[in-house]
Amino acid sequence: RMMGIAVSLINAYEREMRKNMPESSTSQWFGEPGTRITATLKVVERRPVRMGNGEEITLIKFETPEGNQAVWFTNGWKGFELGKTYRVKLTVKRHDERRSVKQTVVNRVQIMEQVV
């Protein structure tokens, strides 16, 4: 009965630790908003996010080989595995900044191939 609470405590602890860590990143924006581009991205984080209306979506964070960050809010995992690198087609939605780290918000991400 208490297993669910115990498991959620681990996620809550890790999330709180990430909030308190100073972010020192050289991440830059890439692509022009509204354009469709090809990019090589590594999956660095993948987690469910509950929206204000109760809907649950997935946040997938990527990193380019140059260290630039991209984020994608989507329904489901879409075949992306944590730690794997993919060559993808994507649409640049907008440029954003979260905790002083520049992030490129993307959508319509399609896997072209997995990079070894």
Side-chain angles (χ1 to χ4, degrees), residues 1 28 30 43 45 51 54 62 72 74-75 84 89 99 101 108 115-116:
R1 219 171 110 179
Q28 296 296 315
F30 60 92
V43 180
E45 186 177 346
M51 302 300 287
F62 300 100
W72 182 31
T74 184
N75 293 322
K84 302 276 176 133
K89 277 187 176 180
R99 290 196 308 242
V101 176
R108 298 178 52 218
V115 178
V116 180

Side-chain angles (χ1 to χ4, degrees), residues 45-114:
E45 186 177 346
R46 184 182 73 177
R47 64 183 166 95
V49 176
R50 186 162 310 275
M51 302 300 287
N53 62 2
E55 177 187 7
E56 189 171 281
I57 61 171
T58 301
L59 165 67
I60 302 178
K61 284 189 179 182
F62 300 100
E63 191 171 279
T64 67
E66 299 81 25
N68 301 326
Q69 292 185 10
V71 293
W72 182 31
F73 296 93
T74 184
N75 293 322
W77 303 119
K78 308 289 188 196
F80 288 95
E81 294 182 41
L82 195 59
K84 302 276 176 133
T85 302
Y86 301 93
R87 192 160 170 257
V88 299
K89 277 187 176 180
L90 59 86
T91 301
V92 177
K93 189 172 181 182
R94 69 177 181 274
H95 295 147
D96 204 357
E97 199 166 316
R98 183 162 175 87
R99 290 196 308 242
S100 301
V101 176
K102 292 180 178 177
Q103 296 178 330
T104 301
V105 181
V106 299
N107 66 6
R108 298 178 52 218
V109 181
Q110 296 176 331
I111 297 174
M112 295 172 65
E113 65 180 333
Q114 183 175 336

Side-chain angles (χ1 to χ4, degrees), residues 3-13 15:
M3 183 62 82
I5 293 172
V7 170
S8 68
L9 285 174
I10 294 168
N11 287 336
Y13 173 78
R15 188 172 45 249

Side-chain angles (χ1 to χ4, degrees), residues 23-35:
E23 297 248 8
S24 60
S25 175
T26 59
S27 179
Q28 296 296 315
W29 296 310
F30 60 92
E32 290 297 317
T35 60

